[in-house]
Every structure is written in C-alpha cells, then in structure tokens.
Amino acid sequence: MDFALAAAAFGVGVVVGLTGMGGGALMTPVLVLFFGVPPLTAVSSDLVASAVMKPVGAAVHLRRGTVHLKLVGWLCVGSIPAAFAGVLIARSLGDGEDVQQIIQRALGVALLIAAAGLTIRAYIRLAERARKRDGLLPPLPQGRPRVSTRPLPTVLVGVIGGLVVGMTSVGSGSLVIIALMALYPGLKASELVGTDLLQAVPLVASAALGHLLFGDFQLDLTVAMLVGCVPGVWVGARISSRAPGGLVRRALAFVLLASALKLLGVPNVETGVVLVAVLLVAPPVWMLIRRRHGFPMTVRRQLPEELADRVREQAGGNQR
C-alpha cells in the first residue's frame, strides 16, 4: 500500500466531493507528475477506480428524478463503443516512449478543455442568476426534465467524449457536460449533472473494461486510490455546504491549467509566467463581468444577523 498515493487520492476525493468534477482530470496528472507512473498505466488504473465510484452518485440522481433517460441512451450509443475503441487506439500505438508522449499530450489537451469548461460553466451560471433576478428566466420545470432530444449530435458528443475518456480518462464529467449545455440549454444544472453522471457509468465501465483487457492496469495503484478517494469524497460532500463553491471551482481550474501546461511539455519558466498572468488578470476580468451583469464586483458573505434582517424585511413587505 502506497500511503502517499492514498493521501493524494484523499485530497482529490475532497475536491470531487466539493465540486462534483475533477476526478480523472486531477488524479491522472497527479499519478504522472508526482508519482512517476507511466501515462498509460495512470489512465488504466484511474479509470478502473472511477468505474467503482461513479454508480454511487448516479443512484442519488436517479432517486431524485434529475436524469433524462432518453438522452442518456443516445449518449451511450456513441460513448460506449467509442470508449472501448479509444483504449484500442491507445494500445495499438505500442508501448514505446513515443506512445506514452502521445497519451500525455492528449491528456494535456483534455485538461485544457476541462479548465475552459469550468470557466464557461461559471459564466453560464452567473448569466442565469442575472436573468432570474431580472424576471427574464422562465419558471423552472418540475419533475423529470423534458427536452426534445437531438439524436445525431447527441450520439456524436458521446463518440467524441468516449474516445477522449478511453485514451486519457478525462472528460466523462468535465467535457461531456459542456457539450450538453450547448445542445440542451433548457436543462437545469441539477439535470445536467444527473444526466451526465448516469451516462458516465457505462462510459467509464466500457473504458475500464478495455484497459483491464488491453491497457496497463495495476491493482496496487487502484486500491491505493480507492482507499484515499472514497473517504475523501465523503468528507468533501460533508463540507460542501460550508465551503465557498466558486472559490473551489476557480482553484480547480487553476490546477487543471497548471497540470495541462506541464503535461504538454511547457518549460517551467513559461509555465510560471502563464500562471502568474492568470492570477493577475483573471480576478479583475471576472469582477468586470459581474459588474456588467449587475452584481457587486466582489462577493460578500452575509452574517446570520443580516440574513435575519432581510427575512424580516421581506415578511413585512408581504404583509403590507
């Protein structure tokens, strides 16, 4: 048992519990960059661990009715065979150093897309809050999500997502959910997460099976990850109501960006310059975006007394 790896997996699990995403996008580069695990081995072991953990969250969303089953079906039509094919493509390239470099570069590109996806999600949520505040947002649907499925583009999203997941273990949550946002803007956030999480179960299982048969799976790595991730996810979920979710998501996007740059082979000096530039530029740009949508430039946490005063004011206004 590698206790250092289990501790790292615990930290990743906490992030997943807080944000609902980032498992493969964080764990795989941690294995490659900090523990010297070959990229193909890291992808194989991480996917098998994810296949054990995914069904738990999917079952919760199924009970809550926040899953579009028809949409899940069309996604799986493309993603299940594509995920298995992604494993075969990665394996057919061989076992040499060049193949490991290709997989590492593909993982870096996937992480860049995941970081961009987090940023896009944050902006969409901000715009949705502004529309709701201004009374421009239609009433939220009740019960199970009802949207008109678009089979061909949905299957195509499944194919692309399956190939990426099969080769890199990244994308079952971060990448697919962004595509769902673009195709089905009528779905609520909880419905997007629930639908994406359920379709990720067979997707990840297919990729994991492929890596068990043809990849470079190592049982000791997977056991160490599960020992750390399972309690980490539980702890993250417990504290998610108290932690500022926006701050956690921004930190996750920053970590994904840093990991992507290193996996893509960017030298240390250039990586440092990019990360410092992001730290200096991103906060004021986000403040301006908030102001443009009519929100304060900074988020101020309200004290319990302030919340009580606001409730009393609203109650008095309703009585009048």
Side-chain angles (χ1 to χ4, degrees), residues 10-36:
F10 177 84
V12 173
V14 171
V15 173
V16 173
L18 285 170
T19 65
M21 60 193 307
L26 285 179
M27 195 69 246
T28 304
V30 165
L31 292 173
V32 174
L33 297 176
F34 296 101
F35 292 93

Side-chain angles (χ1 to χ4, degrees), residues 173-257:
S174 305
L175 306 182
V176 175
I177 200 169
I178 301 303
L180 288 178
M181 282 183 174
L183 284 176
Y184 302 100
L187 288 178
K188 296 187 294 184
S190 60
E191 297 164 351
L192 284 166
V193 174
T195 301
D196 173 73
L197 192 56
L198 183 62
Q199 68 85 28
V201 173
L203 164 59
V204 173
S206 175
L209 177 61
H211 278 276
L212 281 171
L213 296 175
F214 307 108
D216 195 12
F217 166 71
Q218 291 187 10
L219 180 61
D220 55 341
L221 286 179
T222 302
V223 171
M225 283 189 288
L226 288 175
V227 167
C229 279
V230 171
V233 170
W234 184 84
V235 171
R238 294 281 294 178
I239 65 177
S240 61
S241 60
R242 298 184 180 91
L247 180 61
V248 174
R249 284 188 292 271
R250 287 192 289 270
L252 177 59
F254 185 80
V255 171
L256 293 179
L257 175 61

